Amino acid sequence: TDVSNVDPTWLTTKGDEFYQRGDIGSAINAYSEALNADGRMVETLLARAACYLDLREADPCIADCMAALKLSDSIETRFETDEARLLFQKKLLTTLGMAYCVKTEHDKALELFHSVLQLDKNDHDAPRNMRYLETLMEVADLKAKADKNFSMGSLE
């Protein structure tokens, strides 16, 4: 079906519906078509980034987040309220941080989670994400030690 002449807002809504049903591939396709029609849709970029994150595809997730960040900085009127802008920024930084977790770039992820707290000291998700990241770092450290011991023939 040719969707090139379809309203990008409608395509974004369809993408949201696909995402909610767990059809991530179709959601990405719908979001991509919406962005082809209007590349300034920062919320759609963030939605597609979330899809890539669900698929553990960190690089396209990061690319979409960075594009959304750049656009949101240059388009002040994209958000109806300051609260909407704050929510968007928190979601973007969190998604970006989680993508860096997938890439095991833990320092970048931690910095992004701290940025969320700087935006909103009452945010409940950032501390939870930071605890998650600390657990990931501990597991990675334990795995590295175990791998080293195994390679040296020590099974203790």
Side-chain angles (χ1 to χ4, degrees):
T1 304
D2 180 19
V3 293
S4 59
N5 293 325
V6 176
D7 175 37
T9 302
W10 182 86
L11 287 166
T12 296
T13 301
K14 290 305 289 181
D16 294 343
E17 291 171 8
F18 287 131
Y19 184 80
Q20 289 171 358
R21 289 197 319 250
D23 188 351
I24 305 301
S26 295
I28 289 172
N29 290 338
Y31 294 142
S32 295
E33 287 299 325
L35 290 164
N36 286 339
D38 183 355
R40 298 168 297 152
M41 299 177 72
V42 293
E43 295 89 350
T44 304
L45 273 167
L46 185 54
R48 188 173 68 179
C51 290
Y52 287 128
L53 183 60
D54 281 358
L55 297 174
R56 301 186 57 77
E57 293 182 17
D59 290 329
C61 175
I62 291 168
D64 278 356
C65 285
M66 297 308 288
L69 184 63
K70 184 177 179 181
L71 279 171
S72 69
D73 285 345
S74 66
I75 305 173
E76 292 296 325
T77 59
R78 295 300 275 176
F79 301 96
E80 293 179 14
T81 65
D82 288 341
E83 187 173 313
R85 172 177 279 287
L86 177 65
L87 180 62
F88 173 81
Q89 289 173 327
K90 288 173 25 177
K91 287 169 66 175
L92 186 142
L93 293 171
T94 299
T95 302
L96 193 52
M98 295 304 281
Y100 281 113
C101 284
V102 170
K103 289 181 65 100
T104 65
E105 294 184 28
H106 299 135
D107 291 338
K108 286 183 182 179
L110 192 59
E111 181 182 320
L112 289 159
F113 296 149
H114 277 293
S115 296
V116 173
L117 280 178
Q118 288 176 340
L119 287 174
D120 180 1
K121 295 189 184 334
N122 297 318
D123 185 84
H124 299 290
D125 292 329
R128 185 179 69 232
N129 290 334
M130 292 164 83
R131 285 190 301 276
Y132 169 77
L133 180 55
E134 289 167 0
T135 301
L136 277 179
M137 292 168 76
E138 288 174 26
V139 167
D141 185 49
L142 289 171
K143 182 184 181 316
K145 288 177 183 174
D147 288 348
K148 182 180 177 186
N149 286 341
F150 184 76
S151 70
M152 293 172 47
S154 174
L155 299 179
E156 294 182 27

